[in-house]
């Protein structure tokens, strides 16, 4: 994949002091592709995710979204963040706003959409992720799984070109993980371009078009889920899978 990639990273390096968090990362994600990034803790997965919408700046290399380099700041950066939806480990909802207000805020403020239209769309999205009946409640009144589904609806409300998920289920109780993953699988089936950092190997197997394995800030290997899980090419990946798949 050359320029056809919707998200293209070339030679990306990132340091936090002495820690070389990303090492010469090259990655191209095609439109409509679901790429799942896995690897041990501290391997650079979340940092990779956060550089794509410039929550982290990079030291060298380039990142382009839909052919355009990442803007440094200001209005262009706000516009980029509207194109790149992000769902975090913590839900980051505004506690003093209702669920409906949380989902309509971005489209009204950033996209300039009329409030009524934004609310209609928000209700459709909340229905889609299975929390439509919670629209008038506040985040604290919802379970973690429900809050995370609201966070997904909020990102979708901006009509993003790509969705980034940074360990979206790691703060959830086991019974809530499935309800969030089900929404993500549904999004993947509907053709949303997704980059997902996760420890959920079942999701990687069922929803990913490609699995990217990272270790020590570098991409060690990438392959289809079938190939990666049945025949990992590197010692590092074999070791990692041996640990995560036996428990």
């Amino acid at each position: 994949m050359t320029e056809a990639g919707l998200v293209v990273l070339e030679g990306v390096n990132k340091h936090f002091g002495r820690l070389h968090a990303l090492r010469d990362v090259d990655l191209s994600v095609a439109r409509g592709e679901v790429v799942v990034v896995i690897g041990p803790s501290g391997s650079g997965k979340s940092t990779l995710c956060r550089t794509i919408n410039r929550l982290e700046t990079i030291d060298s290399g380039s990142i382009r979204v839909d052919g355009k380099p990442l803007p440094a700041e200001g209005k262009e950066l706000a516009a980029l963040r509207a194109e790149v939806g992000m769902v975090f480990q913590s839900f980051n909802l505004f506690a003093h706003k209702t669920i409906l207000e949380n989902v309509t805020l971005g489209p009204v403020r950033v996209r300039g959409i009329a409030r009524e239209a934004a609310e209609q769309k928000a209700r459709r999205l909340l229905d889609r992720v299975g929390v439509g009946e919670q629209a008038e409640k506040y985040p604290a009144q919802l379970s973690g799984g429900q809050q995370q589904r609201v966070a997904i609806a909020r990102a979708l409300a901006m009509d993003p070109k790509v969705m980034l998920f940074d360990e979206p289920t790691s703060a959830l109780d086991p019974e809530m993980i499935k309800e969030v993953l089900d929404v993500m699988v549904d999004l993947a089936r509907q053709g949303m371009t997704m980059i997902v950092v996760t420890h959920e190997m079942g999701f990687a197997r069922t929803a990913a078009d490609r699995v990217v394995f990272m270790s020590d800030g570098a991409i060690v290997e990438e392959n289809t889920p079938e190939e990666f899980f049945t025949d990992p090419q590197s010692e590092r990946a074999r070791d990692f899978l041996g640990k995560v798949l036996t428990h």
Side-chain angles (χ1 to χ4, degrees), residues 38-40 211-215 218-223 227-242:
I38 63 173
V211 173
V212 169
F213 176 74
M214 290 186 74
S215 180
I219 292 177
V220 177
E221 65 178 282
E222 45 187 307
N223 216 327
E227 291 286 331
F228 178 78
F229 285 108
T230 55
D231 186 22
Q233 299 301 300
S234 64
E235 186 62 41
R236 195 73 192 81
R238 283 195 290 276
D239 179 53
F240 174 78
L241 288 174

